[in-house]
């Protein structure tokens, strides 16, 4: 059952990268991220069986307070996918947002697919990655398993979508050596490259999903669960999109959207708190420091070399 405003995954209509640039914009150099979502859903349907998520009934469409923007939500699950969800924000002008993520079932140690695109009149902010489930600084075997073969893919886009400069230092541990972290001035050529990167990265993720076999050991499933919970906890608390959402739909609805939709699982996959995972953020009164970063921003340049070795401080 496909509920709500879903661009229905349709097997007869080929997604692919064909005709990408023709259909991409609004004719004025603008971008619509709907096409990205349609591609992802159709492509997923070719690899697995998507069913609507129970979240879909509650989270489908919100109009912004100023009534100028529409927030559209889609959510599905599949045998290896705990949650595939997307948030698309489109307005008459100013901002376009895509927050698309796929969270695997904890029986799989698959990376988390992450596409976060924020577009305003003069700037695009982009994160596209197969976020490692386990910290690759510590878990070298995990890094080998998933990223060794993907390094050429990262290199393919490193030049055309160059490193976006300093970022919240704490975020780097959630990124892989092939992360596309970039900022650019809006322009059709850039959107075409971004679409192509999205297609390539998503196809790579689906391939990993096809190959993934379930963990046999309970301890490994527990560890996957905790790792995903840590990721969700980080993002639910510190995601940079939160501020924008607050402005669009108000604090209460923004918080609900972030905690119960975007990072659904944060209340169920584990019981540790944000401060258990990130004790540096603890204030003297025991509350969570509201700063997004305790260490500050760093990594002016890409902190991985072409071999995927970490070269940041
Ligand atoms: C900025 N978004 C950023 C930045 C990053 C990300 C790294 C640069 C600022 C910083 O270093 O924090 C994205 N950070 C991520 C992602 C992870 C992470 C994906 O840790 C995953 C682990 N961004 C959105 C959505 C909106 C949005 C939904 O994903 C809006 C609704 C907006 N992102 C947005 C804005 C900025 C930004 C406005 C610039 C403001 C800022 O730097 O805080």
């Amino acid at each position: 059952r496909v509920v709500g405003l879903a661009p229905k995954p349709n097997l007869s209509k080929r997604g692919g990268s064909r005709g990408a640039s023709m259909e991409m914009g609004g004719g004025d150099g603008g971008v619509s991220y709907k096409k990205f979502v349609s591609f992802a859903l159709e492509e997923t349907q070719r690899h697995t069986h998507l069913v609507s998520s129970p979240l879909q009934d509650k989270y489908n469409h919100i109009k912004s307070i100023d009534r100028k923007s529409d927030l559209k939500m889609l959510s599905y699950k599949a045998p290896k996918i705990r949650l595939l969800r997307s948030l698309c924000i489109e307005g008459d002008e100013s901002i376009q947002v895509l927050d698309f993520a796929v969270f695997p079932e904890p029986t799989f140690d698959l990376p988390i697919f992450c596409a976060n695109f924020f577009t305003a009149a003069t700037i695009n902010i982009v994160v596209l990655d197969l976020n490692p489930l386990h910290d690759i600084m510590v878990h070298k075997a995990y890094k080998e398993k998933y990223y060794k073969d993907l390094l050429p893919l990262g290199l393919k886009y490193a030049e055309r979508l160059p490193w976006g400069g300093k970022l919240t230092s704490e975020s780097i541990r959630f990124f892989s050596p092939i992360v596309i972290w970039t900022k650019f001035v809006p322009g059709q050529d850039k959107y075409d490259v971004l679409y192509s990167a999205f297609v390539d990265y998503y196809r790579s993720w689906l391939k990993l999903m096809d190959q993934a076999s379930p963990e046999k050991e309970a301890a490994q499933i527990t560890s996957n669960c905790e790792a995903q919970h840590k990721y969700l906890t980080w993002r639910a608390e510190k995601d940079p999109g939160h501020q924008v959402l607050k402005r669009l739909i108000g604090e209460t609805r923004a918080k609900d959207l972030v905690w119960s939709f975007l990072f659904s699982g944060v209340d169920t996959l584990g019981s540790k708190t944000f401060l258990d995972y990130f004790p540096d953020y603890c204030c003297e009164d025991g509350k969570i420091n509201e700063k997004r970063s305790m260490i500050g921003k760093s990594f002016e340049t890409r902190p991985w070399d072409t071999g995927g070795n970490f070269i940041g401080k």
Side-chain angles (χ1 to χ4, degrees):
R1 193 168 66 109
V2 180
V3 184
L5 302 148
K8 201 171 177 173
N10 179 351
L11 289 172
S12 63
K13 207 175 106 244
R14 295 243 141 197
S17 39
R18 192 162 51 92
S21 58
M22 306 287 289
E23 293 165 41
M24 183 91 62
D28 56 353
V31 65
S32 169
Y33 292 126
K34 283 199 193 92
K35 184 172 172 54
F36 290 60
V37 178
S38 309
F39 161 76
L41 293 179
E42 286 174 16
E43 197 69 9
T44 313
Q45 285 283 56
R46 282 197 215 128
H47 291 254
T48 185
H49 182 63
L50 282 180
V51 295
S52 193
S53 155
L55 291 173
Q56 188 66 54
D57 289 331
K58 183 169 174 207
Y59 300 95
N60 47 68
H61 178 220
I62 307 177
K63 228 179 180 27
S64 64
I65 294 166
D66 68 7
R67 307 200 63 76
K68 284 186 181 162
S69 300
D70 290 296
L71 291 78
K72 289 181 181 161
M73 289 78 81
L74 292 171
S75 53
Y76 299 90
K77 53 204 199 70
K80 295 182 183 179
I81 296 173
R82 181 181 68 82
L83 174 66
L84 176 160
R85 93 298 184 273
S86 92
L87 166 67
C88 232
I89 307 178
E90 309 226 293
D92 54 347
E93 64 218 70
S94 57
I95 74 155
Q96 314 276 328
V97 172
L98 175 66
D99 184 337
F100 179 87
V102 188
F103 301 102
E105 279 292 346
T107 36
F108 300 90
D109 69 354
L110 283 166
I112 295 162
F113 185 84
C114 163
N116 279 74
F117 308 155
F118 174 84
T119 300
T122 55
I123 186 83
N124 275 272
I125 299 174
V126 165
V127 174
L128 174 63
D129 194 22
L130 277 60
N131 290 153
L133 183 66
H134 296 290
D135 188 337
I136 51 170
M137 314 278 187
V138 185
H139 301 272
K140 301 289 179 209
Y142 184 83
K143 183 176 168 183
E144 280 284 299
K145 178 176 176 184
Y146 285 115
Y147 299 102
K148 197 170 158 245
D149 294 343
L150 291 174
L151 292 174
L153 177 61
L155 291 176
K156 181 175 171 188
Y157 291 101
E159 220 167 280
R160 285 187 295 170
L161 297 170
W163 189 254
K166 286 190 178 178
L167 75 164
T168 299
S169 308
E170 287 86 348
S171 289
I172 213 77
R173 77 182 88 175
F174 297 107
F175 292 171
S176 85
I178 63 157
V179 65
I180 295 177
W181 151 240
T182 192
K183 291 182 196 172
F184 54 83
V185 174
Q188 195 58 52
D189 50 338
K190 284 288 193 177
Y191 296 136
D192 292 346
V193 179
L194 186 61
Y195 182 70
S196 162
F198 181 83
V199 166
D200 281 353
Y201 274 57
Y202 196 58
R203 285 192 170 136
S204 302
W205 189 86
L206 287 171
K207 204 168 146 194
L208 297 179
M209 180 192 76
D210 288 344
Q211 294 162 353
S213 41
E215 310 279 7
K216 290 189 189 78
E217 291 182 29
Q220 198 52 48
I221 299 172
T222 307
S223 152
N224 292 348
C225 225
E226 176 155 312
Q228 193 170 143
H229 186 248
K230 181 177 183 180
Y231 178 94
L232 294 167
T233 303
W234 166 254
R235 296 202 62 187
E237 193 66 48
K238 296 295 176 191
D239 210 64
H242 208 143
Q243 288 307 319
V244 180
L245 293 175
K246 253 193 220 169
R247 215 174 59 226
L248 287 171
I249 58 175
E251 189 162 356
T252 311
R253 284 195 299 171
K255 189 152 193 234
D256 181 59
L257 189 64
V258 168
W259 283 77
S260 303
F261 177 75
L262 291 178
F263 306 112
S264 171
V266 66
D267 293 326
T268 52
L269 284 188
S271 51
K272 284 194 185 171
T273 66
F274 180 85
L275 291 174
D276 291 334
Y277 291 126
F278 309 101
D280 294 354
Y281 283 82
C282 190
C283 293
E284 276 174 16
D285 60 3
K287 292 210 178 90
I288 300 171
N289 198 312
E290 288 192 11
K291 281 202 233 170
R292 297 238 353 273
S293 175
M294 299 310 297
I295 316 173
K297 292 199 176 192
S298 44
F299 310 114
E300 183 76 55
T301 55
R302 190 172 191 89
W304 291 277
D305 67 15
T306 53
N309 305 299
F310 192 72
I311 49 168
K313 278 188 278 150

